[in-house]
Amino acid sequence: ETGVTQTPRHLVMGMTNKKSLKCEQHLGHNAMYWYKQSAKKPLELMFVYSLEERVENNSVPSRFSPECPNSSHLFLHLHTLQPEDSALYLCASSQVTGGQPQHFGDGTRLSIL
Amino acid sequence: QQPVQSPQAVILREGEDAVINCSSSKALYSVHWYRQKHGEAPIFLMILLKGGEQKGHDKISASFNEKKQQSSLYLTASQLSYSGTYFCGTEETSGSRLTFGEGTQLTVNP
């Protein structure tokens, strides 16, 4: 196992469903991130965790709930999403926050019906 | 503050050179460069830290002009594998969030 792994790769859900996105990193990094990537928009930072503590919540609606049980795993719990939440959700990790390269997973393509 | 990238898109023939620019209205601590191919994860290319520096590997290099708050990515003798969207990301201070530009779509044709 190498790098940053995200599951599932694709997810279709209704607005009333509850689902979770999973991210796992095998790089020994201490910081993990969730990004949202929409068509024709820049990558938007959602959450940052450093040593399992949330250090940034970039004004994300409460229908997105992150969880970081340990430094290798990161989840994004989803409930009551809106059609505009359809996007590619990318997880990334870095050794520490600040001045370090971020390693990205392949993302979860989320479609809200 | 989101950095501004230019151009938005560029089309090259194999072997040609390209320059992608990234500028900010704020003082910067670092500039990151990433490349993303369609359907794949963004791949880290390089980081440049304040102090003004230039980095490179193979035929891809970059410079960072701290005073002008801008960075440029240079791709020389482009190869088909260079196609993708190039993003710059900027940090205003060490540990601050990484803010990405809108990306530059680079297409290299045979």
Side-chain angles (χ1 to χ4, degrees):
Chain A
E1 299 257 19
T2 57
V4 180
T5 304
Q6 288 186 244
T7 54
R9 290 295 309 275
H10 301 273
L11 179 62
V12 179
M13 57 188 285
M15 289 192 284
T16 57
N17 291 157
K18 289 185 180 181
K19 295 284 184 184
S20 296
L21 310 185
K22 180 183 175 182
C23 176
E24 185 173 0
Q25 57 98 359
H26 306 275
L27 300 168
H29 289 166
N30 293 312
M32 295 188 77
Y33 312 80
W34 279 117
Y35 287 90
K36 177 183 179 182
Q37 188 174 35
S38 304
K40 301 187 178 180
K41 284 189 176 181
L43 281 159
E44 299 173 55
L45 179 66
M46 300 176 72
F47 301 103
V48 180
Y49 276 82
S50 176
L51 296 171
E52 300 146 45
E53 286 194 22
R54 191 190 309 180
V55 297
E56 176 113 21
N57 175 353
N58 195 21
S59 301
V60 179
S62 59
R63 58 186 183 267
F64 295 92
S65 175
E67 178 190 3
C68 186
N70 55 62
S71 59
S72 299
H73 293 86
L74 186 65
F75 294 90
L76 188 63
H77 303 300
L78 317 170
H79 65 95
T80 325
L81 294 193
Q82 304 299 309
E84 62 266 27
D85 297 324
S86 297
L88 180 68
Y89 288 84
L90 289 161
C91 173
S93 70
S94 62
Q95 185 60 48
V96 294
T97 56
Q100 295 290 318
Q102 294 187 13
H103 297 259
F104 286 83
D106 286 332
T108 295
R109 174 69 61 186
L110 177 65
S111 298
I112 306 300
L113 301 178
Chain B
Q1 189 79 24
Q2 179 186 333
V4 177
Q5 285 187 236
S6 62
Q8 287 186 321
V10 59
I11 299 174
L12 302 174
R13 289 213 177 270
E14 204 171 0
E16 292 181 337
D17 302 340
V19 180
I20 300 171
N21 299 303
C22 174
S23 63
S24 173
S25 60
K26 301 270 190 177
L28 297 175
Y29 168 73
S30 73
V31 179
H32 300 219
W33 286 98
Y34 293 81
R35 177 174 63 211
Q36 184 179 27
K37 293 182 181 286
H38 184 69
E40 297 181 11
I43 300 297
F44 169 75
L45 296 176
M46 63 190 80
I47 287 180
L48 301 103
L49 302 178
K50 75 172 186 177
E53 60 173 336
Q54 189 150 355
K55 276 190 176 180
H57 57 84
D58 199 9
K59 294 178 178 140
I60 300 176
S61 62
S63 63
F64 177 24
N65 187 318
E66 184 184 349
K67 289 183 180 178
K68 291 185 177 179
Q69 297 154 197
Q70 65 185 36
S71 177
S72 295
L73 185 71
Y74 306 94
L75 301 105
T76 58
S78 59
Q79 305 168 18
L80 297 177
S81 62
Y82 287 3
S83 293
T85 301
Y86 288 78
F87 294 97
C88 71
T90 56
E91 291 176 296
E92 293 178 12
T93 59
S94 176
S96 65
R97 71 176 68 167
L98 188 62
T99 305
F100 286 91
E102 292 192 356
T104 296
Q105 188 169 344
L106 179 77
T107 304
V108 181
N109 292 320

